[in-house]
């Protein structure tokens, strides 16, 4: 099997000097794929994603992007390497307009950003209408679109989403997933953490079920949905 | 015991709690579940007096307790724990427990200077009680450690222990299981059960872990979008159509889009 | 080395500095016991102030930068308690002043009641403003003629209302009470606010208190100062005229003038030390009791302490009032020591921020630390000036005697003390952020 | 005619001084608010930063004067101002490197920064007194008045004169230009936007590749410029004295908080609110009332609500009222 595009390989570690939260945890994603991390509360889902993004100490194991070892890079350097990250909360600049949010997303770029912005507006048409409104005035779902749009502005090689549907209603959630699928179809690898396990696995090409910071089950989304063990313990029967 | 009537809590345009009405029966262990952002923690905070409600009413044993500050609710027997443990980190675990009971004579400055004897007697009794609680929770060995240095799970136990230092009527537990390993989680569950049976505490438990809920709670209330969605046993809740749609999920309408070219 | 030993050594070192000041005139020491005792006395007062601030900051995390105001109120207390009443002042304007004060209080109370009772809206704002305006007009109508009458009485040496003619020692607790009253008012309004807002509020109130002292001549004679305050100890001149005293001094081989000054200064030192020890004991007892445990819990985590039944607001108010009262007591002691009230000399750098340096350098959260900081920083505050003079004359020794730069540097060397205090504060914050004697 | 006189008196003694003072406060408060929103602490050393900038400007002014360089009708200090700004920029950058950066890396709590700024305040205060002394310095030269009272009377035939000092004119013009530049910078340039982004959401700014050290550096540079300009304008208008500048801290903080800490618009509004209240409440209204009221109602006293020495009480009272009724300030500020 060839090396995946982005892989957090056998990661063990925790925040600061605290106890280890992850134990030998592996997650990976390839172009065109949506990889989803699910699991019960406190299982280390977000932690695994943050480890991949360099926000905590990985004591053993490594993170590789496109074959390059990036284990020791800071999150900022990883952004420059092409990783786009959308945090779960406070993921937009509330006092700035939608357009300024997108501009800030492209802060590290020195080339012309108008094409990318056009693409984002095409993907999220509602943002075009609200481009001059402060992002803080938008609804929950629209904010998430701004957040994803901001991350896309860096022209990332991989997009990471931390619980993009947290706190939005089911309908909005479906719409967001819809957009995520569209983004994925442009060939961009997407790695996301999801609370709403069932829906997320539906759209996942690859699913990771974590328990206690370890890989408990791994497979395609459909496989996991069909797995009676997984159904029993995480999906409510 | 606790009756919540048409409670609203708005943050700007966001309706975190949007007309919630529910009742907590005396002596029950009620589970409160619902998706992230359903308003469970906000509801907790409004009942516990941390946030003032936008409108609505909360009563306890028929007495209106809406908007009372937390320290007054404490003296009425309404206690709570926190989603992220709120230990007193620079104090030892024993001190964390000993500070809890109200009306200690040593809390009056005058007595600290001129009532040393009385304080010493009270302290002895408090210390014994704290040690008893630590034993009950099977964490006697950490009594003299600073609370900031113990593990997350132990902090949760310590929080539960604080509620045992007084005769509480009702205890609200906010995600007591988050970040706690399974063995410790069962210890917590056992402690809750025993407190409920032996001391007659009423509990309200927010949890995501269905197994934990199933082990402890009856009835279970499911919240979504700031309202009560359903109430019943865990089995009933799991079978409830609305709950499946809002929390457990039905599936994606746009599945066809997955078919890739 | 145990902590206790280390801390005792630190105290001994500061003690040694003060003794050296009396013994030797080597380097920046002056070799004068007088100067040594002056430093000791102000050191004792500074230690008390630091104790008060530590109570607020170290125990409860309250950021009070209005210490100057409370100190000044203590000073006012000495005038109001210990000076004899000005003849005719009360009959001339006493009633008017009292009535004006009552009117002022009534105005504020009714304005507050109205804001509480009426529903929010334009009419509430209008009614409140109307009450305040009418109240203010009546207040001024009563107040202005009354103080005019008082200030007309023998303005060259009196012109103020005078005091109660009580023993001056009593003015110390009265100073504490005055400061406590002011602190209660501020605490009631500003304690719920964020820490830096409280800081600005206290900074403001201190400026206002000073402005009152400077302007209300009927109260404190303003910038004309109140001099010749009564004192708890005999005057040096009287001692020198007392044959028994002169004999005893001669027996010790001392010149009567020197002996009398030392006697008085030592007397003050003993009085102040008694107050300091009493307050220190009280603070220690409180800290080590359930009360102290509760305060630590509140400082660690206000939300949880509140949820565990502790009335955080009330406790904050209590400790804010207590800490300020201690500053008031210290302020009264200082004015007693000076024998005069000089409203024009109160400066926040010296009376507020210097105390903060003491607390932080000494070790916030530790009573002994604050006391040590009080002595040490006060010693440096006095001695940095001669130190920097020495330093500058050393550095500029190569320059011509009449060089402009040298003259300028020598002339301004005194200002190095602020610079040095800042430097000490920054160094401690950087390399020993918990202070010399850290909290346990 | 009397009403016109009243109006002129009002303009002369209340409006013009308040507008000038308000502009100075607003510039000072902008500096405080910028530090607060980017570095997230209340900078107690701001008054002394202003004093340092003004002192440097004064020194350069004296140098120019000794060389015989003047600025015609305008004060020479305006020529010296850029040098004062540069010196202040150097000072604050050095301070940031040697002092504040350490705590930033430690992610220290805001209150620790406040303590540290107290230390910086002491040092700057000592430095200024050491270099220029604690005394009063007047350094305004050039033409004193734009409009002289006597000329105005002659021109209009009114009893009341209207005088506008050159320094007041300069203050207002400079303040408008500086504020316009600042807002243009914050809203239109890439660096300005990155500063707003950083102030809004530090973590997300990092994720967007914004370099925090650069943002902090630009903030200090702007603050140094604002502080120096505010200080020099105040000094030209009144006079320079280190202690007065330290005391300006209170009205400046009051302005920033009343407007809403962290909001530039708020800082400006707050500055004018504080200035106008201070001037109107401490102004003796006798003259204006004498003109505008019928003879029978003319007041006996000065009709001064509070003596000028209570001007701090005014800032303070407004501050307390705003904090009690609208704790985030008039324009929504931010909380750390």
């Amino acid at each position: 099997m060839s090396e995946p595009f982005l892989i957090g390989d056998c990661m063990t570690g925790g925040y600061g000097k605290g106890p280890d939260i992850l134990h030998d945890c592996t997650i990976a994603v390839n172009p065109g794929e949506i990889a989803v991390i699910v699991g019960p509360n406190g299982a280390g889902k977000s932690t695994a994603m943050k480890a991949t993004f360099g926000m905590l100490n990985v004591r053993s194991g490594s993170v590789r992007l496109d074959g390059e070892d990036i284990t020791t890079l800071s999150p900022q350097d990883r952004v420059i390497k092409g990783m786009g990250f959308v945090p779960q909360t406070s993921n937009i600049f509330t006092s700035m307009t939608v357009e300024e949010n997108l501009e800030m997303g492209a802060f590290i770029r020195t080339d012309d950003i108008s094409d990318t912005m056009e693409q984002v507006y095409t993907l999220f048409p509602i943002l075009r209408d609200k481009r001059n409104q402060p992002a803080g005035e938008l609804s929950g779902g629209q904010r998430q679109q701004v957040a994803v749009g901001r991350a896309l502005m860096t022209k990332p090689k991989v997009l990471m989403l931390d619980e993009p549907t947290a706190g939005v209603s089911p309908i909005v959630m479906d719409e967001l997933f819809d957009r995520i699928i569209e983004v994925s179809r442009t060939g961009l690898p997407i790695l996301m953490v999801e609370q709403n396990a069932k829906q997320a696995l539906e759209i996942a090409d690859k699913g990771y079920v974590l328990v206690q910071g370890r890989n408990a089950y791994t497979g395609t989304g459909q496989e996991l949905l069909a797995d009676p063990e997984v159904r029993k313990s995480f999906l409510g029967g | 015991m606790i009756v919540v009537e048409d409670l609203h809590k708005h943050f700007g345009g966001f309706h975190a709690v949007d007309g919630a009405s529910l009742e907590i029966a005396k002596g029950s262990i009620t589970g409160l579940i619902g998706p992230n952002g359903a308003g469970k923690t906000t509801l907790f905070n409004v009942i516990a007096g941390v946030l003032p409600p936008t409108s609505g009413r909360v009563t306890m044993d028929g007495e209106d307790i809406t908007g009372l500050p937390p320290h007054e609710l404490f003296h009425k027997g309404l206690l709570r724990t926190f989603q992220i443990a709120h230990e007193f980190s620079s104090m030892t675990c024993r001190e964390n427990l000993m500070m809890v009971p109200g009306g200690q004579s040593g809390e009056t400055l005058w007595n600290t200077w001129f009532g040393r004897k009385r304080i010493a007697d009270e302290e002895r009794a408090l210390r014994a009680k704290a040690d008893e609680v630590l034993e009950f929770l099977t964490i006697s060995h950490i009594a003299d450690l600073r609370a900031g240095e113990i593990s997350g799970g132990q902090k949760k136990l310590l929080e539960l222990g604080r509620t045992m230092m007084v005769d509480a009527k009702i205890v609200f537990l906010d995600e007591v299981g988050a970040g706690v390993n399974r063995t410790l989680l069962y210890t917590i569950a056992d402690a809750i059960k025993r407190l409920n049976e032996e001391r007659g505490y009423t509990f309200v438990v927010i949890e995501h872990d269905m197994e934990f809920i199933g082990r402890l709670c009856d009835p279970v209330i499911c919240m979504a979008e700031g309202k009560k969605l359903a109430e019943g046993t865990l089995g009933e809740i799991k079978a409830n159509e609305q709950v499946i749609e809002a929390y457990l999920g039905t599936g994606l309408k746009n599945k066809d889009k997955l078919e890739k070219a | 080395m145990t902590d206790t030993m280390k801390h005792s050594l630190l105290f001994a070192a500061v003690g040694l500095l003060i003794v050296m000041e009396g013994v030797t005139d080597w380097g920046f020491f002056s070799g004068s016991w007088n100067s040594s005792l002056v430093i000791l006395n102000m050191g004792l007062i500074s230690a008390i102030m630091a104790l008060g601030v530590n109570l607020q900051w170290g125990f409860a995390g309250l950021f009070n930068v209005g210490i100057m105001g409370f100190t000044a109120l203590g000073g006012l207390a000495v005038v109001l308690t210990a000076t004899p009443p000005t003849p005719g002042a009360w009959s001339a304007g006493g009633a008017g002043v009292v009535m004006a004060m009552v009117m002022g209080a009534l105005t504020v109370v009714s304005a507050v009641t109205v804001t509480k009772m009426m529903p929010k809206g334009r009419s509430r704002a209008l009614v409140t403003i109307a009450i305040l305006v009418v109240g203010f007009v009546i207040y001024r109508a009563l107040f202005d003629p009354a103080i005019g009458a008082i200030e007309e009485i023998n303005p060259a040496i009196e012109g103020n209302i005078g005091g109660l003619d009580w023993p001056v020692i009593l003015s110390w607790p009265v100073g504490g009470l005055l400061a406590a009253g002011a602190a209660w008012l501020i605490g009631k309004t500003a304690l719920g606010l964020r820490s830096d807002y409280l800081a600005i509020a206290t900074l403001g109130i201190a400026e206002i208190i000073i402005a009152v002292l400077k302007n209300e001549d009927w109260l404190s004679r303003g910038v004309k100062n109140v001099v010749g305050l009564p004192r708890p100890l005999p005057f040096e001149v009287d001692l020198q005229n007392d044959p028994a005293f002169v004999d005893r001094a001669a027996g010790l081989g001392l010149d009567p003038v020197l002996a009398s000054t030392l006697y008085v200064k030592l007397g003050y030192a003993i009085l102040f030390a008694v107050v300091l020890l009493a307050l220190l004991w009280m603070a220690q007892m409180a800290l080590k009791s359930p009360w102290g445990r509760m305060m630590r819990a509140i400082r660690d985590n206000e939300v949880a302490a509140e949820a565990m039944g502790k009335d955080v607001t009330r406790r904050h108010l209590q400790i804010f009032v207590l800490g300020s009262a201690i500053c008031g007591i210290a302020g009264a002691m200082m004015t007693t020591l000076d024998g005069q009230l000089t409203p024009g000399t109160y400066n926040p750098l010296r009376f507020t921020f210097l105390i903060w340096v003491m607390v932080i350098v000494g070790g916030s959260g530790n009573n002994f630390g604050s006391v040590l900081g009080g002595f040490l920083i006060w010693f440096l505050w006095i001695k940095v000036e001669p130190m920097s003079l020495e330093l500058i004359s050393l550095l500029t020794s190569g320059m011509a005697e009449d060089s402009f730069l040298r003259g300028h540097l020598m002339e301004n060397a005194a200002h190095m003390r602020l610079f040095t205090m800042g430097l000490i504060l920054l160094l401690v914050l950087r390399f020993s952020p918990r202070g010399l004697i850290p909290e346990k | 005619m009397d009403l016109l006189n009243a109006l002129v008196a009002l303009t002369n003694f209340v409006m013009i001084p308040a507008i000038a003072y308000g502009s100075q406060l607003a510039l000072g408060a902008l500096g405080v608010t910028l530090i607060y929103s980017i570095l997230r602490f209340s900078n107690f050393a701001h008054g002394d930063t202003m004093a340092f900038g003004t002192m440097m400007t004064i020194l350069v002014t004296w140098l120019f004067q000794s060389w015989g360089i003047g600025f015609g009708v305008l004060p020479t200090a305006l020529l010296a101002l850029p040098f004062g700004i540069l010196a202040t920029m150097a000072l604050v950058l050095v301070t940031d490197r040697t002092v504040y950066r350490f705590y930033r890396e430690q992610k220290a709590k805001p209150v620790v920064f406040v303590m540290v700024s107290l230390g910086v305040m002491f040092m700057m205060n000592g430095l200024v007194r050491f270099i220029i002394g604690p005394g009063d310095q007047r350094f305004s030269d050039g033409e004193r008045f734009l409009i002289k009272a006597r000329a105005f009377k002659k021109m209009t035939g009114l009893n009341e004169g209207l005088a506008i000092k050159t320094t007041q004119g300069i203050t207002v013009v400079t303040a408008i230009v500086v504020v316009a530049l600042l807002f243009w910078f914050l809203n239109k340039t890439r660096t300005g936007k990155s500063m707003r982004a950083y102030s809004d959401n530090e973590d997300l700014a990092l994720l967007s590749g914004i370099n925090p050290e650069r943002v902090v550096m630009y903030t200090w540079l702007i603050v140094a410029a604002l502080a120096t300009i505010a200080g020099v304008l105040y000094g030209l208008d009144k006079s320079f004295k280190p202690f007065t500048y330290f005391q300006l801290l209170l009205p400046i903080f009051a302005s920033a908080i009343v407007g809403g800490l962290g909001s530039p618009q708020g800082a400006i509004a707050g500055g004018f609110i504080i200035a106008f209240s201070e001037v109107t409440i401490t102004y003796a209204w006798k003259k204006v009332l004498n003109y505008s009221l019928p003879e029978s109602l003319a007041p006996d006293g000065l009709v001064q609500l509070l003596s000028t020495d209570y001007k701090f009480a005014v800032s303070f009272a407004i501050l307390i009222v705003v904090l009690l009724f609208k704790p985030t300030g008039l324009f929504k500020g931010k909380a750390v």
Side-chain angles (χ1 to χ4, degrees), chain C residues 402-416:
Chain C
D402 55 350
S403 117
F404 166 76
L405 186 61
R406 177 156 192 214
H408 180 81
L409 288 178
M410 294 297 269
E411 193 182 321
N412 283 327
H415 303 298
M416 286 309 281

Side-chain angles (χ1 to χ4, degrees), chain C residues 88-153:
Chain C
W90 272 99
S91 52
V97 168
V98 170
M99 270 164 61
M101 294 291 165
V102 170
M103 191 59 217
L106 268 179
T107 309
V108 173
V109 169
S110 45
V112 170
T113 326
V114 163
T115 31
K116 280 203 179 136
M117 305 286 283
M118 284 178 70
K120 212 170 174 171
R122 184 180 290 259
S123 58
R124 182 177 83 167
L126 287 177
V127 172
T128 315
I129 291 172
I131 290 177
L132 288 175
V133 167
V134 173
F136 184 76
V137 169
I138 302 178
Y139 164 80
R140 284 293 293 263
L142 290 166
F143 191 64
D144 289 2
I147 63 164
I150 294 174
E151 285 171 7
E152 261 170 30
I153 302 171

Side-chain angles (χ1 to χ4, degrees), chain B residues 1 24-31 136-137 160 163-164 166 168-171 173 187-205 215-219:
Chain B
M1 176 164 198
I24 312 288
K26 202 177 194 89
S28 70
I29 303 180
T30 306
F136 180 95
L137 297 170
L160 191 62
T163 68
M164 296 168 56
V166 289
K169 285 187 196 151
I170 178 163
V171 180
L173 304 173
T187 316
I188 294 177
D190 289 343
I192 293 173
K193 197 126 208 160
R194 275 178 65 193
L195 281 173
N196 176 251
E197 286 163 2
E198 293 170 15
R199 294 216 205 168
Y201 280 21
T202 306
F203 281 98
V204 182
V205 185
R215 220 179 153 93
L216 273 179
C217 302
D218 185 34

